[in-house]
Structures are given as structure tokens and as C-alpha cells.
Amino acid sequence: MSLNREQMLVEMGISPIWVLRDAPAVEFDVAHQIQEAAQPVPSAAAVAEAAPLPVQHVYQKSEPSSPATLDVGALDWPALARQVAGCRACSLCEQRKQAVLGVGDTSPDYLFIGEGPGADEDAKGEPFVGQAGKLLDSMLAALDIARGNRVYIANAVKCRPPGNRTPEPAEMAACWPYLERQIALLKPKIIVLLGKAAVHAVLHDDKSLASLRGRRFDHAGIPVVVTYHPAYLLRNLPDKAKAWEDLLFARRTLREQTTPELPF
Ligand code: URA
């Protein structure tokens, strides 16, 4: 069953509907329709299965290797996916079923970054497919976007932390070159950080989310905004309204730095 935007907002627990006072008349969808259809990026596991790792990407050691060995700045998508699938840069590799690279439009407007795969994501090889993912999908739908359409979704770490614990700073640091390369390849128009781990990974900031919300940060010239993690929102329902404010702020920030193309 597909829900309309109003139903999505109700699903998010937001009612009455909040609207932008300064909403421009031209929706971004108009500009987006003329973009080429994005090529989906295969999962890390699918790529690894289809194409064996080239010699330089095969990790022979049974022990995790040093993060200092990661040099991914020149990799294209298939090579990056292969390297992530075989990564042993930190101990999270030891208990994962598979590494989870990310999913979505590879020429996105929005890049959403979460914390790390949970059990469902570890099993499926796709980020945000569990309960938190359902809420994230509702949040995206409230913005009239969807996974794979103007949005790419990734995580601060690619491998499931055991017991769904928060990733350690060293694990996020080990995984950062992959995320940094993804950002460089994706060139999103805005990055939305979901929760404290994503903030730590990208902005290297450990302040409270409350103090970071509603502000525009920057990564490599790309605007970055902060909001609550969907799993937190599932436990703290009243904060869904704040998350909706944050999404509107993200959309406003995106629109401020983009000139919509008119259809004539
Ligand atoms: N939580 C996250 O941060 N990422 C996922 O992929 C799933 C749940």
C-alpha cells in the first residue's frame, strides 16, 4: 500500500501538517525529471560475488589490517564496492555477514548517513531495512523523495557492530575513507546526518544533537545538517516533530543553493 504525503506525516506522528511559509512555486521534481535515470549501485556482496577481488584488494590476513593501509581516494564504484566487501580494516569484519555499502540514487540531491547496519541490514546487505528504516522511508516520503530517487543512504560504518552497539570512534575512523570516497563520488547537494555517530564520523563533533540541529555545517563544500536517528525517534515519539523541522530546514538549505530549472 502506498501512502500519500499527509498519511506519511501522520505515520511519522506529525499532525497537523507543517508547511514551509516560503515554499517556492516550482517543485524540485521538475528539475529532477530531466536528469538521467540513476544507475543503481550493486551491493558490496553482489559485486564481490560477480567479480573476484583484484590481487591488490584481497586481504590474506586473518587479523584486521591497519586503517592506515586504506587508500581508496581514486576508486570508482565497482572497485570501492569490492574493497568494502573484502574490508578487514577493523574488528567489525569478524562478525559481519556482509559489509553494507549503501543504497540509492548515485546522483542524489540528498545523502542520508546513519550509524551502522543492524541485524536486518547485515542479513540483507542494504541500509535501513528494519523498523528504523521504515520510519526513514516515511520521513523521505514526507519530503516527496524516496530511496533510489534523489536520495542515497549510507552509514558511518559498513559492518554491523555486535549487539547493535554504537560504533567505536576507532571503527568510524577506520571506515571513514570509504564514506569520504562515497561522498566524493555521489556529490550530493546536501548531507543529512542521522544521529550522533554520523555527526562524529563526518563532522568530528561530539556535541549534543540539540545544540547542532538547525545549523548548517560543511563537508568539502557540501552543506551538512543534523537530525535525530530514526531509531531514537521510535523511542522518543515527541521528537518526531523536531525531526520534521530538521527535514524542512534541510530542504530549505538545498533550495537556497540550487537554482531550479524551469520547464520552459
Ligand atoms: N540504523 C542505522 O544507523 N543504519 C542502518 O542501516 C540501520 C539502522
Side-chain angles (χ1 to χ4, degrees):
M1 181 185 69
S2 72
L3 304 178
N4 64 29
R5 183 166 167 277
E6 194 165 338
Q7 289 167 321
M8 287 296 177
L9 287 166
V10 171
E11 178 69 19
M12 283 180 67
I14 295 160
S15 183
I17 296 172
W18 298 24
V19 290
L20 281 175
R21 288 197 190 145
D22 59 347
V26 179
E27 285 294 328
F28 268 27
D29 292 321
V30 174
H32 199 79
Q33 278 164 10
I34 62 171
Q35 288 188 355
E36 282 182 15
Q39 293 299 313
V41 176
S43 73
V47 170
E49 205 171 299
L53 294 174
V55 172
Q56 67 269 29
H57 294 142
V58 174
Y59 291 84
Q60 305 282 6
K61 297 179 188 168
S62 57
E63 291 299 309
S65 56
S66 157
T69 60
L70 285 182
D71 181 10
V72 300
L75 300 186
D76 61 10
W77 276 114
L80 183 66
R82 279 197 298 276
Q83 181 133 346
V84 167
C87 183
R88 298 190 55 76
C90 80
S91 60
L92 293 184
C93 65
E94 285 163 0
Q95 292 183 49
R96 71 172 179 225
K97 286 198 175 72
Q98 58 188 314
V100 179
L101 178 66
V103 69
D105 190 333
T106 50
S107 299
D109 288 343
Y110 294 85
L111 168 60
F112 281 76
I113 301 176
E115 183 173 304
D120 295 327
E121 292 76 20
D122 186 45
K124 193 163 176 204
E126 183 175 330
F128 283 101
V129 292
Q131 285 307 312
K134 287 200 183 110
L135 178 56
L136 179 60
D137 285 340
S138 297
M139 292 162 73
L140 300 181
L143 284 178
D144 293 326
I145 55 179
R147 140 184 336 234
N149 175 20
R150 300 175 58 199
V151 185
Y152 190 92
I153 304 170
N155 277 312
V157 294
K158 311 297 184 216
C159 299
R160 181 190 179 201
N164 294 345
R165 65 163 170 76
T166 304
E168 301 288 346
E171 292 159 352
M172 290 189 269
C175 221
W176 168 243
Y178 297 134
L179 185 56
E180 188 178 31
R181 184 63 190 146
Q182 283 179 293
I183 295 170
L185 288 166
L186 291 165
K187 299 184 184 63
K189 298 194 179 97
I190 189 161
I191 298 173
V192 181
L193 302 178
L194 300 168
K196 285 201 79 169
V199 170
H200 177 95
V202 177
L203 298 179
H204 316 294
D205 196 321
D206 289 319
K207 293 196 195 75
S208 72
L209 280 188
S211 69
L212 301 173
R213 290 181 51 244
R215 292 165 59 188
R216 176 187 164 146
F217 299 92
D218 175 275
H219 169 77
I222 301 165
V224 178
V225 302
V226 168
T227 191
Y228 295 108
H229 191 284
Y232 165 87
L233 294 173
L234 288 172
R235 299 189 304 270
N236 297 275
L237 299 182
D239 281 343
K240 281 185 180 177
K242 291 186 189 161
W244 177 233
E245 277 177 43
D246 297 338
L247 295 182
L248 293 180
F249 177 62
R251 185 164 70 178
R252 226 166 34 238
T253 306
L254 171 72
R255 284 175 170 168
E256 272 165 17
Q257 57 129 32
T258 312
T259 308
E261 288 182 46
L262 297 173
F264 45 81

